Amino acid sequence: MLETFGELLRYYRVEAGLTQQALAEKARLSEQAIGALERGDRRYPQAVTVDRLVGVLGLTGLRREEFARAAARKGTPRRAVGSTPRQLPADTTHFTGRADQVEIVADIVRDPAAAAVASITGMGGVGKTSLAVHVGHRLAADFPDGQLYVDLQGAHEPVSPLEALGLLLRALGVAGTSVPGTVDEAAARLRTELAGRRVLLVLDNAANSEQVIPLLPGTAGAAAIITSRRALLAVRHARQVHLDVLSEPDAIALLAATAGRERVAAEPDAAVEVVRRCGRLPLAVRLAGTRLAFRTAWPLSYLAERLADDSRRLEELDQHEAGVRACFALSIDGLAASEDSVDRDAAAAYPLLAWPAVPDLSVLVASAVLGLGEDEVDRLLERLAAACLLEVPAPGRYRMHDLLRAYGAGLAVAPARTAVLNRLLDLYSAVAWRGLALSSAAGSPRLMRAPCMTAAPEIADAFGWLDGEQTHLVAVVRQAVADSDVDRALIAGLALGLFEFYRSRGLWRDWRQVCEAALKEPGDRLTHASLLSDLALAEAELAHRGTGDFSVAQQCIRDNIALLEEHGDDDITARALNNACYVYRLSGAIGEAIEFGERGLAMRRCGITMVNLAELYALAGDRVTQHRYLADAIAHLKPLDDAHGMAYALVVQGLVHRADRRFPEAVEALRRSAEQWRRIADAPGEANTLADLGETLLAAGEPDAAREVLERALALLRRLGDPVREKRVVELLQSDDNCVGEL
């Protein structure tokens, strides 16, 4: 029985008929390395070496798993089976033809010795996505570490590179709050996550080279298939694969698969005529075949006659430049004329489903769009999918082709379009406010201002559900703002309810966009003020990361305070002044931050404000006032059971003790603070406190304890994507030889 890696390598090499020299050349390794591996001098090769050998030896399935397992050290599996992402949409049921293109793309991406990229280009409806997904499924065994899929939506409103990077990183296990805030940093993080893994990326519907370049792997083993309506010539090292219309035999085979093989075989000449009149464009042929399937009494010759006349063909298939619009109309007409009531309802629903400018629809969202129950909507969606009017990219989600969406949206009438957006805003708002109520911010006074909404659906993890609708939220808000008949109170209510979702996820850009949209017509003065405060916080966080404007944040918070002072509620105004304290502190304006904090404290005694002031006075060099405010804050917070406030107070207390060189007391306070942050699931607070604790332990002469704490802080900060604080922790680890670990 073969047990060691060397024995397996020798066995598979001999089986493949290769000498050590030949195997070394093909795998781009040295002959000495092959010999050392077979002798057992090197028992645990690097992952990239294993991947190269697997590719050259043609190992798949169980053989591949056994080979990789023998190469891994005990206790260090390469990846848990359950965590492997398999995101490819279902393979096309009737994938037809494309044999040469399938082999070309497969040969490009299966090369284990390079970060291979295949770029498939062609006109809309020509089958680029189908080819990419088909090749991906075929090569599943060649990419055991996962297959990722992103629709970049290049044909309408393209997904930004940063948004796409976020999707890919989260699929690879990176927490949403850990995704870096710039394209360059996020792209580097993606390349790091892909290093040493055999992962296939399918980047669908790319708009241009600039959109897709940051999404590509940088090391051998990982590969990418790009589809686009444009030739992405600026993508270096990409092999271009142009996809044309189907050959005539393949187009007829596709027609037979959709219309029925017996019917096509019975009328071969008519079948040839139909596909020719469809221009052998796969989407048009598929739609024509689906229509024939619904029209069981039609002979193929009848459809061929209808398509023979140029003017009728334009009516039957399309009269627009894409060449398929009439096919969409005919397909929907087929449903509308059906004796089946579900078919008729599906045809009536189609324009409404097409109206929201979102990438796809879940059953729940589609139910809101149509104002119907989920079971009924599920039947309609499945019927539309069966008619090739909807794609199913993932279980429970439905997507329209770009041209189908444009055609369907053109059929929707104004009152119905507005009603769709109102219902969507209501759904998203209900889930957002439910999430706010269930979150750690459940005691927020904002909850008292929740708008009247439809009952929220029973979603256990409201914020988790909103994660899947992240891009949809911004798109729907933008579309709603553009419709003057949409209820403005719904837009503002959604924006207010998303506060904790966006804050806890660090989605500062989305938050800014939604607030800016809602502020176009904010409604009452209190809502206007709250939106200004939210926009100020989002803008300040972005400015802190180098992508926002502190002056904008400061102006927003000043306008917020002015409105609240006119409103006359001292409690709310005091909270706004505390937010101003935070915004100005982030910008480095310590003196003004202190002024805002003092004004707020004069209106309302608040423990958090006292802690803020204690920290600010320390930054200003006033230790006496710092000590006074900190003592007052702790005395105020203790009886309130304010976990967040006490965690913050303990941090500042620990730093005060450290400044006084009272290291035991400092360590105790910081440990208690870190535990408190962990208890309330505030990862940023825990990470920052652990960094302070590690620095304190170093100063106290406890390097081993410091290293352990700092490495925990570093792991958290990397997950959160905070490069500024991460750099500080790395420097602390490197500041003492006894604290240098693997970074």
Side-chain angles (χ1 to χ4, degrees), residues 357-426:
V358 295
D360 57 16
L361 297 166
S362 67
V363 175
L364 178 58
V365 170
S367 296
V369 167
L370 299 175
L372 300 172
E374 290 186 54
D375 289 342
E376 183 177 357
V377 169
D378 183 69
R379 286 192 292 272
L380 297 178
L381 295 171
E382 284 298 314
R383 192 61 57 93
L384 289 168
C388 301
L389 291 168
L390 286 179
E391 301 170 8
V392 187
R397 298 198 79 90
Y398 297 84
R399 181 179 62 200
M400 292 183 185
H401 185 277
D402 302 335
L403 298 176
L404 279 167
R405 182 191 305 284
Y407 171 73
L411 299 176
V413 296
R417 296 197 303 256
T418 299
V420 164
L421 295 176
N422 282 336
R423 288 193 294 268
L424 273 181
L425 290 169
D426 186 67

Side-chain angles (χ1 to χ4, degrees), residues 156-397:
H156 36 109
E157 187 167 338
V159 173
S160 72
L162 190 60
E163 290 173 350
L165 286 163
L167 293 171
L168 293 169
L169 287 168
R170 285 191 289 275
L172 290 168
V174 177
T177 53
S178 300
V179 176
T182 68
V183 172
D184 288 343
E185 291 170 340
R189 180 66 182 271
L190 177 63
R191 292 192 294 271
T192 298
E193 293 292 331
L194 292 174
R197 296 184 184 180
R198 288 287 285 166
V199 176
L200 176 66
L201 311 180
V202 176
L203 307 173
D204 199 16
N205 293 324
N208 49 48
S209 299
E210 291 74 19
Q211 182 191 35
V212 80
I213 285 173
L215 314 181
L216 299 177
T219 54
I225 302 175
I226 307 167
T227 73
S228 178
R229 297 184 182 187
R230 302 177 183 178
L232 306 179
L233 301 180
V235 180
R236 294 187 302 165
H237 312 305
R239 293 275 301 279
Q240 303 294 327
V241 180
H242 180 71
L243 207 56
D244 204 346
V245 296
L246 292 169
S247 68
E248 188 171 284
D250 287 339
I252 292 172
L254 178 58
L255 183 67
T258 51
R261 301 186 189 285
E262 293 80 4
R263 294 171 68 187
V264 169
E267 297 183 80
D269 292 340
V272 169
E273 189 65 19
V274 168
V275 299
R276 285 179 178 174
R277 297 301 179 182
C278 288
R280 294 183 283 114
L281 186 69
L283 181 58
V285 173
R286 189 181 297 278
L287 286 170
T290 301
R291 186 154 193 248
L292 285 169
F294 278 105
R295 298 287 193 267
T296 56
W298 279 15
L300 269 67
S301 57
Y302 179 66
L303 179 59
E305 289 173 8
R306 296 172 68 97
L307 295 171
D309 184 348
D310 286 346
S311 61
R312 178 175 288 273
R313 184 167 67 249
L314 293 176
E315 294 175 2
E316 296 289 332
L317 294 178
D318 200 359
Q319 51 186 322
H320 290 277
E321 60 184 23
V324 294
R325 178 169 181 150
C327 285
F328 306 154
L330 289 173
S331 185
I332 294 175
D333 289 346
L335 290 177
S338 171
E339 296 181 0
D340 188 328
S341 62
V342 177
D343 286 349
R344 295 195 300 272
D345 291 343
Y350 195 78
L352 299 184
L353 293 170
W355 180 243
V358 295
D360 57 16
L361 297 166
S362 67
V363 175
L364 178 58
V365 170
S367 296
V369 167
L370 299 175
L372 300 172
E374 290 186 54
D375 289 342
E376 183 177 357
V377 169
D378 183 69
R379 286 192 292 272
L380 297 178
L381 295 171
E382 284 298 314
R383 192 61 57 93
L384 289 168
C388 301
L389 291 168
L390 286 179
E391 301 170 8
V392 187
R397 298 198 79 90

Side-chain angles (χ1 to χ4, degrees), residues 499-676:
F499 167 82
E500 183 62 18
F501 170 69
Y502 281 146
R503 189 202 66 79
S504 65
R505 263 55 178 175
L507 297 172
W508 313 116
R509 284 180 183 78
D510 287 8
W511 195 8
R512 176 172 63 184
Q513 291 179 64
V514 168
C515 288
E516 287 175 339
L519 279 166
K520 293 183 184 300
E521 295 183 54
D524 64 82
R525 180 172 297 177
L526 194 55
T527 298
H528 188 184
S530 296
L531 290 171
L532 282 171
S533 177
D534 290 357
L535 178 57
L537 293 171
E539 189 71 41
E541 291 286 359
L542 288 170
H544 183 60
R545 289 159 176 78
T547 58
D549 188 334
F550 277 124
S551 66
V552 171
Q554 291 169 355
Q555 185 61 55
C556 286
I557 202 67
R558 287 196 300 268
D559 291 345
N560 157 256
I561 293 168
L563 282 171
L564 291 175
E565 287 176 336
E566 291 177 17
H567 182 72
D569 188 319
D570 286 352
D571 183 74
I572 298 176
T573 304
R575 293 176 186 274
L577 288 165
N578 185 60
N579 286 344
C581 181
Y582 178 75
V583 167
Y584 274 79
R585 177 178 171 242
L586 277 184
S587 68
I590 304 303
E592 289 149 294
I594 289 174
E595 289 179 14
F596 282 117
E598 292 285 10
R599 285 173 59 192
L601 197 60
M603 288 184 172
R604 171 179 175 269
R605 285 185 60 79
C606 171
I608 292 289
T609 305
M610 295 177 196
V611 178
N612 277 335
L613 285 168
E615 192 166 15
L616 285 165
Y617 276 112
L619 293 172
D622 186 345
R623 297 289 307 283
V624 173
T625 307
Q626 176 197 27
H627 281 276
R628 174 167 57 83
Y629 270 124
L630 182 59
D632 290 348
I634 293 174
H636 180 81
L637 289 165
K638 272 186 178 179
L640 299 179
D641 192 27
D642 184 341
H644 182 274
M646 279 304 298
Y648 186 17
L650 287 168
V651 172
V652 178
Q653 184 181 59
L655 296 178
V656 168
H657 289 320
R658 186 175 76 190
D660 294 337
R661 303 194 64 79
R662 297 168 59 188
F663 294 123
E665 293 90 339
V667 168
E668 173 63 20
L670 291 170
R671 286 194 188 280
R672 287 173 58 199
S673 176
E675 291 167 3
Q676 190 89 312

